[in-house]
Amino acid sequence: MANESPIIVRFANEFEKELYRLSRKYRSIRRDVEPIIEQLQEGRLLGDRLAGFTSDLC
């Protein structure tokens, strides 16, 4: 659909701090996280769907 609004991914402060801390030890962590962020922005949900939950939670 062309009319879909873009999905904006915002990080929690704790996530940003931990990502920064971990980036000192693991130099490629930002490159590792980038594809996940891109998938979320495209609207593709990651992970497995749990039984008993409906899609109208979001």
Side-chain angles (χ1 to χ4, degrees), residues 32-43:
D32 295 342
V33 171
E34 188 174 326
I36 298 169
I37 303 303
E38 290 173 358
Q39 287 179 7
L40 291 172
Q41 289 174 335
E42 292 170 359

Side-chain angles (χ1 to χ4, degrees), residues 1-57:
M1 286 190 217
N3 294 350
E4 289 185 29
S5 58
I7 296 174
I8 299 171
V9 176
R10 297 183 350 193
F11 301 129
N13 289 336
E14 184 177 352
F15 178 82
E16 288 181 350
K17 288 178 186 177
E18 285 298 309
L19 186 63
Y20 175 75
R21 185 182 68 79
L22 290 169
S23 69
R24 292 177 169 183
K25 185 174 182 178
Y26 305 103
R27 297 291 180 179
S28 66
I29 194 167
R30 293 182 187 271
R31 281 191 310 256
D32 295 342
V33 171
E34 188 174 326
I36 298 169
I37 303 303
E38 290 173 358
Q39 287 179 7
L40 291 172
Q41 289 174 335
E42 292 170 359
R44 297 187 337 210
L45 300 179
L46 307 171
D48 296 327
R49 184 172 296 247
L50 300 175
F53 292 94
T54 60
S55 62
D56 61 339
L57 292 175

